[in-house]
């Protein structure tokens, strides 16, 4: 932030360039001097690619849009640069030099010297060549550890900022409603409280580095019918208010987030990009959000081409601007000539342009982009000879040991042990057969927004840029005394079974079989998980289930190791496998983390952020089901999961006991208090995730049987115990009532202290008394935990 700072300013400095003045004064003065064309130019981006030799960026040739003439645009200014690093492989230092030179050109070309704001994807790390590939967001959820994710995001933000990037298009706050949806890997999970707490921590980390975080996708994208990408959303206002909106509420209130991206989808016929009640009424007027709203890529144009609520590009521009969209991304389409035409015809008032412009310029002022003496040289290039690109090449390291160490920490905490009949940890097996399509695949651990798969796949001639060991290599390093034999058996999604015989032969001669199965991340049908890679069922892709069944029949103990972007039904393996290990695209350090769990070097710590289905059908379903959404005698489809939300085993044992309820009855504006003892009664260190679920047996509208209201990760040494106290505000029991307002109702309730949604350990009978009480977004959202070690 540069406001309220007293500096020595050259005489004659324009008001908008004076950082000693408050931001509003500066921005208002600038707007007053701008022509309409200069105003509109700040409201769109241009998709560019950094030069591989350090020269200026070039407009990206995208199949969905005609190329722009950058020279024609720059005289009036430019609002954003889209993905200068994330469009093609480029040495990071030369990319920073390319961006620097382009920013100099942009600033020099317009009357006010305003540079562009540069944004990049950062869903699982800075999406550029050579940057650390961290675990995907579904793995963040599996950690149940917001503090860890905050640390990870701070490192990602620092890497973005030192190369000159201002905004990151993350995190995703969509709550999983149907696991067939291809973008499940990009979400934090199926529970709004888990999504909200983990995503808020990520935003805090990114913003702490000076990078503008972007909430997406606002709102309802993940509730599309049949789990199909971009499909209509048919949920009612109560599901929207109680499931989809709370993570966004929490983030806006607690994280300091400065940007929001609208969703592609329409809800009950109203596209988010044209929803004034959502983007202005709720987000700004009710919640008080003051940052920018940016379009999802091509989302404004889709009002015309896909939604059919605008008859022309001009109408699409006017509808989005009126709804509250401030910036068109990734490139200029509707906010260019079509918006100018609508303004000239009087169909769009200039006041709407000024409203969006003020938000954009305030953000640029916050970032220092309007300051006198603004320097385009990013921290990574300070003190470097910028006249010699070859001297610059290789001077920036985006995957240093500190990054890899944290990537491994996140991966180790995110891997989930679902089943173990005693086979794990492995005890020095003489021969290990690693069988399956993920056995020797170095990119098995990467999600669809990782640079090697998102962009690098289109440039096979370029090295991956980061070290990616395969599972077989990780196991050889973990078990140096064991013979490791490898057989693919099948591809991830192909129909061929020719490799089954060799796979079964390898299994029969082994002491243990590691069945390496899962997904291939990709985009728009080029993978089995990822954006546009939706599934018809939750059966393993291709012939992997048949391969797994053949391995189970081979006779050796089978440890299923699933590396995927969504949960899958595993058939017989749920009952017959020696162990099942689930990981959700755990990043570049994920396979050593899995190998460490198998050996016992790493203690299993992950918990499921999504339920694992027992059957391949029965979707959509999550643990947040009402009574009618669960198994019953009136339907032959049983949606009961094989492993429920929050499930995860350890190599030790935790005991929950000695529940005391200090305050079992509270007023509807009060709080309940209870405490219990948690003991590690096993023989080794471990970490338990205490989960608290609310059960409301009688309410004025149908409620889920239970929902998560709080959690705490508690590490304990063998034999150690602690007393966990819990204060639960009545506000966390609130829900949307029949009149559409959030209410806390009096009545009898249960608080379930649990190891998972399917494993309650202690139950407290509590009650709220007094009148029904309306609450809003300022309500208390969190219980307060206190964990105190018990002596002896």
């Amino acid at each position: 932030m540069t406001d309220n700072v007293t500096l020595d300013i050259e005489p004659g400095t324009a008001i908008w360039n004076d950082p000693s003045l408050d931001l509003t004064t500066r921005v208002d003065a600038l707007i007053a001097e701008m022509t309409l064309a200069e105003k509109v130019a700040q409201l769109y981006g241009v998709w560019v690619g950094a030069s591989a030799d350090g020269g200026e960026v070039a407009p990206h040739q995208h199949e969905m849009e005609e190329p722009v003439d950058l020279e024609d645009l720059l005289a009036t200014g430019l609002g954003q640069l889209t993905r200068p690093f994330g469009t093609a492989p480029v040495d990071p230092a030369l990319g920073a030099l390319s961006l620097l030179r382009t920013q100099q050109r942009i600033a020099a070309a317009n009357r006010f010297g305003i540079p562009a704001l540069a944004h990049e994807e950062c869903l699982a790390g800075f999406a550029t060549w050579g940057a650390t590939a961290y675990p995907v967001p579904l793995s963040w959820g599996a950690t149940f550890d917001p503090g860890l994710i905050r640390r990870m995001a701070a490192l990602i933000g620092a890497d973005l900022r030192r190369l000159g990037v201002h905004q990151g298009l993350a995190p995703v706050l969509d709550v999983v409603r149907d696991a067939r949806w291809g973008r499940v890997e990009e979400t934090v999970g199926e529970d709004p409280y888990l999504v909200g707490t983990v995503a808020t921590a990520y935003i805090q980390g990114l913003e702490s580095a000076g990078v503008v975080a972007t909430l997406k996708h606002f709102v309802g994208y993940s509730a599309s019918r049949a789990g199909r990408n971009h499909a209509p959303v048919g949920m009612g206002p109560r599901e929207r208010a109680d499931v989809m909106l709370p993570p966004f509420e929490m983030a806006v209130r607690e994280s300091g987030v400065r940007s929001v991206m609208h969703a592609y989808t329409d809800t009950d016929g109203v596209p988010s990009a044209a929803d004034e009640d959502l983007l202005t009424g709720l987000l700004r007027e009710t919640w008080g959000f003051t940052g920018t709203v940016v379009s999802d890529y091509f989302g404004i144009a889709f009002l015309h081409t896909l939604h059919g609520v605008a008859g022309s590009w001009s109408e699409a521009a006017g509808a989005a601007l009126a709804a509250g969209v401030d910036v068109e991304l990734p490139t200029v389409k509707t906010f260019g000539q079509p918006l100018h035409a609508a303004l000239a015809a009087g169909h769009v008032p200039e006041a709407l342009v000024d409203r969006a412009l003020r938000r954009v310029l305030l953000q640029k002022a916050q970032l220092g982009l309007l300051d006198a003496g603004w320097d385009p040289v990013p921290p990574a290039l300070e003190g470097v000879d910028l006249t010699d690109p070859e001297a610059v090449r290789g001077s920036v390291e985006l995957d240093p040991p500190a990054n890899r160490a944290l990537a491994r920490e996140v991966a180790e905490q995110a891997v989930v042990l679902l089943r173990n009949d005693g086979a794990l940890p492995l005890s020095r097996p003489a021969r290990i057969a690693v069988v399956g399509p993920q056995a020797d695949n170095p990119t098995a651990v990467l999600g669809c927004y990782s640079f090697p798969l998102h962009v690098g796949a289109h440039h096979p001639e370029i090295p991956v840029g980061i070290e990616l060991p395969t599972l077989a290599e990780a196991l050889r390093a973990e078990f140096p005394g064991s013979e490791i034999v490898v057989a693919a058996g099948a591809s991830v999604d192909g129909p061929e079974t020719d490799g089954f015989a060799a796979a079964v032969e390898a299994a029969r001669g082994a002491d243990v079989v590691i069945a390496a199965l899962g997904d291939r991340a990709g985009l728009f049908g080029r993978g089995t998980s990822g954006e546009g890679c939706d599934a018809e069922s939750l059966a393993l892709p291709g012939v992997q289930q048949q391969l797994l069944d053949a391995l189970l029949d081979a006779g050796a103990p089978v440890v299923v190791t699933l590396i995927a972007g969504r949960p899958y039904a595993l058939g017989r393996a749920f009952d017959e496998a020696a162990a099942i290990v689930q990981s959700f695209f755990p990043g570049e350090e994920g396979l050593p983390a899995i190998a460490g769990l198998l050996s016992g070097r790493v203690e299993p710590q992950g918990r499921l952020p999504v339920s694992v289905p027992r059957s391949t059908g029965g979707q959509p379903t999550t643990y947040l089901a009402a009574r009618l959404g669960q198994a019953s005698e009136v339907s032959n489809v049983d949606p009961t999961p094989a492993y429920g939300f929050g499930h995860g085993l350890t190599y030790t044992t935790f005991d929950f006991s000695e529940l005391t309820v200090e305050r079992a009855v509270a007023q509807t504006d009060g709080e309940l208090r209870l405490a219990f003892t948690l003991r590690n009664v096993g023989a080794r260190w471990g970490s338990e995730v205490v989960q608290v679920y609310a059960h409301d047996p009688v309410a004025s509208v149908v409620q889920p049987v239970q929902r998560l209201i709080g959690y705490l990760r508690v590490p304990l040494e063998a034999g150690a115990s602690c007393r966990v106290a819990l204060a639960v505000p009545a506000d966390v029991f609130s829900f949307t009532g029949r009149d559409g307002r959030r209410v806390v109702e009096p009545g009898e309730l249960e608080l379930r202290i649990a190891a998972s949604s399917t494993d309650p350990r202690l139950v407290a009978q509590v009650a709220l008394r007094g009148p029904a009480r309306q609450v809003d977004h300022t309500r208390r959202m969190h219980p307060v935990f206190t964990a105190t070690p018990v002596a002896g």
Side-chain angles (χ1 to χ4, degrees), residues 63 110 137 144 171 189 255 382 392 412 423-424 476 478 607 658 679 715 771:
E63 63 269 19
N110 70 83
F144 276 74
S255 71
E382 290 176 353
V392 172
E412 289 179 349
L424 298 182
R476 290 188 182 102
E478 194 71 34
R607 303 295 188 271
E658 300 170 13
R679 291 185 177 88

Side-chain angles (χ1 to χ4, degrees), residues 472-485:
E473 290 169 345
L475 289 169
R476 290 188 182 102
E478 194 71 34
F479 297 94
S482 301
E483 179 188 1
I484 308 292
V485 295

Side-chain angles (χ1 to χ4, degrees), residues 117-148:
L117 188 152
H119 75 258
E120 291 288 350
E121 297 284 0
C122 56
L123 194 67
F126 184 178
T128 192
W129 187 83
T132 305
Y134 292 93
V136 299
L138 202 56
S139 275
W140 310 351
T143 70
F144 276 74
D145 191 340
L148 177 61

Side-chain angles (χ1 to χ4, degrees), residues 143-368:
T143 70
F144 276 74
D145 191 340
L148 177 61
I149 304 309
R150 186 181 297 109
R151 288 165 49 208
M152 180 193 73
L155 281 187
I156 295 170
D159 284 339
L160 289 162
R161 202 69 184 93
R162 68 191 180 102
L163 291 189
V165 178
H166 308 103
Q167 181 169 0
L169 301 188
V172 170
L173 281 78
D174 293 294
V175 179
V176 175
R177 303 301 280 166
D178 188 332
R180 295 174 297 179
W181 191 48
R183 304 190 79 166
V184 166
E185 64 174 72
E186 300 180 39
T187 74
V188 175
E190 69 181 40
D191 178 83
Y193 187 78
L194 178 67
V195 173
T197 50
V198 172
T200 294
Y202 180 90
I203 297 159
Q204 290 167 341
L206 207 63
E207 291 276 357
S208 73
V211 173
V212 176
T214 309
L215 308 185
K216 58 186 191 181
H217 307 87
F218 195 58
V219 65
Y221 188 21
S222 58
S224 58
R225 291 193 180 113
R228 293 180 60 247
N229 197 39
H230 288 211
V233 173
M235 66 183 171
R238 187 165 292 103
E239 181 181 355
R240 189 189 214 193
D242 288 354
V243 177
M244 309 307 291
L245 286 174
F248 291 92
E249 281 184 286
M250 188 183 296
V252 168
R253 179 177 169 185
E254 300 178 3
S255 71
V257 68
R258 288 181 283 174
S259 193
V260 171
M261 176 182 283
H262 74 73
Y264 282 131
T265 44
D266 69 85
T267 300
D268 197 24
V270 180
S272 293
D275 191 342
E276 186 174 1
D277 290 339
L278 177 70
L279 300 182
T280 297
L282 179 64
L283 179 62
R284 296 192 183 278
E285 295 173 359
T286 299
W287 291 354
F289 177 70
T290 59
T292 58
V293 173
V294 301
S295 73
D296 204 342
Y297 284 12
F298 311 107
I300 300 175
F302 289 165
L303 295 176
H304 174 48
T305 59
L306 296 182
H307 294 294
V309 297
S312 65
W313 304 126
S314 293
E315 288 183 15
L321 202 59
V325 180
D326 303 312
V327 181
E328 180 177 28
L329 298 179
T331 195
V332 59
K333 177 68 175 181
T334 69
F335 276 15
Q337 186 278 329
L339 178 55
H340 281 291
L343 288 161
H347 298 151
V348 175
E350 188 173 345
L352 289 180
V353 172
D354 288 348
R355 182 179 71 172
L357 175 64
R358 181 168 282 104
R359 297 164 183 160
V360 168
L361 292 180
L362 281 169
Q363 197 157 91
K364 288 194 172 185
Q366 289 175 349
L367 292 164

Side-chain angles (χ1 to χ4, degrees), residues 435-504:
V435 179
Q438 306 287 48
D440 219 15
N441 175 15
T443 61
V445 293
L446 302 179
C448 77
Y449 269 81
S450 67
F451 188 86
L453 296 184
H454 197 81
V455 178
H458 303 291
H459 301 270
E461 75 284 1
I462 303 295
V464 173
I466 54 176
E467 182 182 346
L468 291 172
T470 68
L471 180 58
E473 290 169 345
L475 289 169
R476 290 188 182 102
E478 194 71 34
F479 297 94
S482 301
E483 179 188 1
I484 308 292
V485 295
V486 179
S491 65
V492 167
D493 57 345
E496 298 82 9
T497 59
D498 298 349
F500 277 25
V504 170

Side-chain angles (χ1 to χ4, degrees), residues 523-692:
L523 289 167
F524 307 115
R526 296 190 289 271
T528 60
S529 173
E531 185 173 0
C533 297
D534 310 313
E536 293 182 356
S537 81
L538 295 182
L540 282 167
V543 295
Q544 292 185 74
Q545 185 65 55
Q546 294 98 300
L547 175 62
L548 176 55
D549 290 345
L551 296 176
L552 291 170
D553 289 336
V558 176
V559 175
V560 179
T561 303
L562 197 62
I563 306 167
R566 62 164 65 85
Y568 285 106
L570 299 176
R572 294 165 48 196
F574 288 138
D575 301 310
E576 298 179 27
I580 302 174
V581 176
Q582 171 79 68
S583 66
F584 299 107
F585 292 142
E588 63 184 41
E589 289 290 329
L591 297 179
I594 291 171
L597 183 146
L598 297 178
S599 73
R601 175 179 56 82
V602 172
E603 170 70 15
Q605 297 184 66
R607 303 295 188 271
L608 283 175
V610 286
S611 304
V612 173
R614 179 164 287 278
S615 66
T616 59
Q619 288 292 312
T621 183
T622 76
Y623 96 96
L624 285 174
R627 295 176 201 176
L628 289 179
Q630 301 189 343
S632 72
E633 296 179 354
V634 297
S635 173
N636 64 318
V637 176
D638 184 353
T640 304
Y643 302 105
F645 172 84
H647 171 77
L649 302 178
T650 71
Y651 287 152
T652 188
T653 304
F654 290 92
D655 177 70
F656 295 64
S657 63
E658 300 170 13
L659 174 66
T660 58
V661 183
E662 177 184 336
R663 185 179 298 166
V665 178
Q667 295 297 302
T668 52
D669 62 352
E671 69 177 21
L672 305 161
R673 294 182 183 174
L674 60 152
F676 65 95
T677 299
L678 180 69
R679 291 185 177 88
N680 181 349
V681 296
R684 58 184 286 170
W685 176 92
S687 183
E688 179 63 283
V689 177
V690 173
Q691 300 166 46
V692 183

